[in-house]
Amino acid sequence: MNLEHDANLYAILQTGFPADRQAVAIETPERNYSWDDIEALSGQIASLLASLRVPAGARVAVQVEKSPEALMLYLATLRAGLVYLPLNTAYHEAEVGYFLGDAEPAVVVCTEAARGWCEPLARAKGAAHVYTLDADGQGSLMRAAAGHDPAFQTVTRAATDLAAILYTSGTTGRSKGAMLTHGNLASNALTLKTYWGWRADDVLLHMLPIFHVHGLFVASHGALLAGARMIWLPRLDIDQALRYLPRCTLMMGVPTYYVRLLADARFERTVCGHMRLFISGSAPLLVDTFREFQQRSGMTILERYGMSETGMITSNPYDPARGARLPGTVGPALPGVAVRVVDDADQGLAPGTPGHVQVRGPNVFAGYWRMPEKTRQEFTADGWFRTGDIGVLGGAGIPDDYLSIVGRSKDLIITGGYNVYPKEIEMVIDAMPGVQESAVIGVPHADFGEAVVAVIVPRAGATVDAAAVLAGLKADLANFKVPKQIHLADALPRNTMGKVQKNVLRQQYAGLS
Ligand code: AMP
């Protein structure tokens, strides 16, 4: 394969399709899609898109429920040389308006239910073509595509050509469109294929949303490039997961998926009889969850770390010869990817010292859409991307090349001039009896600038005594790190990708000090 000349991601994924195109590629509770179906359906949609005669690089914005046809639309967009722009299905009209105004897509695909507001909005923002696609695969898109040729010659693309724009799920400030090239996505998919030992006889349980890097790129690309079957469920559904897991070899999930599996008494070793790998990412996996999962299933969850701008950056090893999967860490940098931890002046820090995580490699995006100044700020002079995460390499008993994420730089609390990394405190609290999980935040404080506040979720049926927690923390941590207040809560606010929404907590507890 000559990546210089044809780097179209679809063409690269296609090299992994099995010789037997009648084999099942995607299985849903309702029907199966063969590899032939993938080629023909994505071919028909690509033929339709090509017939619209929009310029190369035009954006196709998509806000639809998860379905195999939605994946076909993504593949068709790649094949036609256009740029895919998936939007979280939770976004409301005003939010979608911002994305359409910013990205100026030529084509917009929405659900039938949203057409009433989305079509006029899309037209007002300059989109010439609007289609619908529903969860059952019906809608004007598939009706229009049905009349087109399923045999489509995938267009040639260079590795530097844009394949997708992912708007970051950023909880503060304007959402930024991360521009990902065919080369970015292909390099990450090819690296993970080897690193995670993808095989043609793998069966992936796919329950993640496909508007995000995790479900759309990491999971789908992996299976497509391996020629492996996906069991395709619209969302996390524990009953369905328990039904399908015995036939699966691989599952990817955000930490919440693993917590929810553990909460079900039916989840035990026999369910995992064929499983070779459970992968977790998008948010930190609690050490407790890792251990409990190991005990219950006999399987060791592999935690990896990545983001929209970069795809996957680090991963705990799959192959034991490369090292152990260590809880609380996200593993070493992937082959071909470089990671460093630096101080505020971009100078490398010694292992064991927390600092800013920076990354460099073929996976790193081409910049933020129409934000050259922001893009410049987020790269160092020598080309490292500032992830915005605070991490530490090595540390007590951990190999020096293993990264642990200790927080986001915007989550960093500065209290009385001291830096406090929330994760350090959360880890101490989480290890206390009766604690399910915790979130530590900074809230405005007249004396200290910010005051450390802990929000604790007790385990079901357990009680947590705030005074005892405080006493425990005082014994373990420097005084400035000890929370000024402790609050108990039933649950932590999370977004769809399982990330704790600390901004929501900060608002909720802001007035309390
Ligand atoms: P997104 O671009 O929505 O995928 O969000 C990326 C962010 O998720 C990263 O910058 C991290 O802050 C966080 N993240 C992803 N994976 C992990 C992980 N395994 N542990 C901790 N944080 C993670």
Side-chain angles (χ1 to χ4, degrees):
M1 180 180 15
N2 189 339
L3 287 186
E4 286 295 307
H5 292 106
D6 191 6
N8 189 306
L9 174 64
Y10 182 83
I12 292 166
L13 296 174
Q14 201 183 25
T15 61
F17 292 8
D20 177 9
R21 296 287 215 263
Q22 295 302 316
V24 175
I26 300 178
E27 174 180 346
T28 73
E30 290 79 34
R31 66 166 280 203
N32 292 339
Y33 297 73
S34 68
W35 294 91
D36 260 349
D37 292 333
I38 290 192
E39 301 253 46
L41 285 168
S42 67
Q44 274 183 324
I45 305 172
S47 298
L48 165 67
L49 292 174
S51 77
L52 304 178
R53 307 240 171 269
V54 297
R59 277 75 57 209
V60 178
V62 178
Q63 191 192 33
V64 300
E65 298 299 334
K66 181 179 176 185
S67 67
E69 287 73 14
L71 185 68
M72 299 308 124
L73 171 57
Y74 163 58
L75 297 176
T77 305
L78 296 175
R79 295 184 69 175
L82 304 179
V83 177
Y84 193 70
L85 196 172
L87 292 172
N88 189 328
T89 42
Y91 290 144
H92 294 293
E93 182 172 350
E95 293 161 302
V96 172
Y98 165 73
F99 296 118
L100 299 188
D102 192 51
E104 296 186 308
V107 182
V108 172
V109 184
C110 63
T111 59
E112 192 57 46
R115 194 163 64 98
W117 60 263
C118 193
E119 179 156 9
L121 181 66
R123 302 250 181 239
K125 303 286 182 192
H129 310 277
V130 180
Y131 296 99
T132 62
L133 176 62
D134 277 336
D136 60 2
Q138 302 295 310
S140 66
L141 177 79
M142 300 313 282
R143 283 196 299 278
H148 284 268
D149 191 352
F152 180 81
Q153 180 66 46
T154 297
V155 306
T156 301
R157 295 271 84 185
T160 48
D161 284 330
L162 281 196
I165 298 178
L166 286 195
Y167 277 85
T168 53
S169 53
T171 41
T172 52
R174 262 175 79 199
S175 192
K176 307 180 287 288
M179 300 190 289
L180 296 153
T181 65
H182 284 263
N184 292 149
L185 300 175
S187 79
N188 218 225
L190 290 163
T191 300
L192 293 174
K193 178 176 181 174
T194 312
Y195 197 79
W196 289 342
W198 273 99
R199 305 191 312 224
D201 61 353
D202 270 326
V203 179
L204 171 74
L205 184 56
H206 194 308
M207 300 186 287
L208 289 159
I210 55 165
F211 50 71
H212 185 264
V213 48
H214 199 164
L216 183 63
F217 300 152
V218 188
S220 306
H221 289 172
L224 292 168
L225 188 60
R229 178 188 298 214
M230 288 189 261
I231 293 183
W232 189 262
L233 301 177
R235 63 190 63 82
L236 171 69
D237 176 330
I238 294 295
D239 287 337
Q240 294 274 36
L242 289 168
R243 176 178 153 211
Y244 284 112
L245 268 176
R247 282 209 286 123
C248 294
T249 64
L250 237 152
M251 180 185 133
M252 292 186 198
V254 300
T256 321
Y257 290 20
Y258 296 107
V259 172
R260 294 275 303 278
L261 275 175
L262 287 170
D264 197 299
R266 293 169 296 172
F267 180 71
E268 34 128 354
R269 267 166 206 251
T270 51
V271 177
C272 306
H274 283 100
M275 286 298 295
R276 70 172 180 90
L277 188 56
F278 286 96
I279 299 177
S280 176
S282 294
L285 180 75
L286 294 175
V287 173
D288 257 11
T289 310
F290 176 97
R291 296 237 158 86
E292 197 182 334
F293 200 88
Q294 210 166 31
Q295 243 169 21
R296 279 271 287 285
S297 67
M299 305 281 305
T300 305
I301 298 176
L302 177 155
E303 184 172 6
R304 94 299 179 282
Y305 157 69
M307 61 198 305
S308 304
E309 289 90 335
T310 62
M312 298 303 98
I313 301 170
T314 71
S315 169
N316 270 284
Y318 170 63
D319 179 357
R322 285 182 183 266
R325 294 175 210 162
L326 300 179
T329 83
V330 292
L334 285 166
V337 179
V339 167
R340 67 180 192 183
V341 171
V342 300
D343 63 15
D344 291 343
D346 295 332
Q347 296 304 305
L349 289 166
T353 313
H356 306 283
V357 179
Q358 298 184 344
V359 57
R360 202 161 67 170
N363 53 315
V364 176
F365 74 138
Y368 292 112
W369 174 256
R370 292 181 179 165
M371 289 187 177
E373 189 49 38
K374 185 77 195 158
T375 302
R376 220 171 6 256
Q377 286 165 8
E378 298 304 334
F379 283 88
T380 65
D382 51 349
W384 292 80
F385 172 61
R386 309 176 197 276
T387 62
D389 289 310
I390 304 287
V392 57
L393 284 165
I398 295 171
D400 282 352
D401 59 338
Y402 276 55
L403 182 72
S404 304
I405 302 297
V406 297
R408 295 281 304 160
S409 43
K410 64 174 185 281
D411 288 342
L412 179 75
I413 304 166
I414 305 181
T415 181
Y418 290 107
N419 284 3
V420 175
Y421 299 100
K423 182 77 181 286
E424 185 188 359
I425 304 164
E426 289 161 7
M427 274 169 24
V428 178
I429 298 177
D430 292 349
M432 292 182 174
V435 174
Q436 170 73 40
E437 60 177 338
S438 63
V440 168
I441 50 169
V443 300
H445 188 282
D447 284 344
F448 301 110
E450 281 186 298
V452 179
V453 168
V455 184
I456 301 179
V457 179
R459 277 182 198 286
T463 46
V464 169
D465 175 15
V469 170
L470 262 185
L473 288 174
K474 282 188 176 144
D476 279 354
L477 297 174
N479 234 341
F480 69 90
K481 298 180 188 170
V482 175
K484 298 274 179 295
Q485 289 182 342
I486 295 201
H487 300 281
L488 299 178
D490 292 338
L492 297 176
R494 285 198 147 81
N495 72 11
T496 6
M497 295 314 295
K499 294 179 208 297
V500 174
Q501 293 168 302
K502 290 204 166 174
N503 57 325
V504 173
L505 289 175
R506 279 192 286 265
Q507 272 169 15
Q508 203 173 333
Y509 295 101
L512 293 178
S513 56

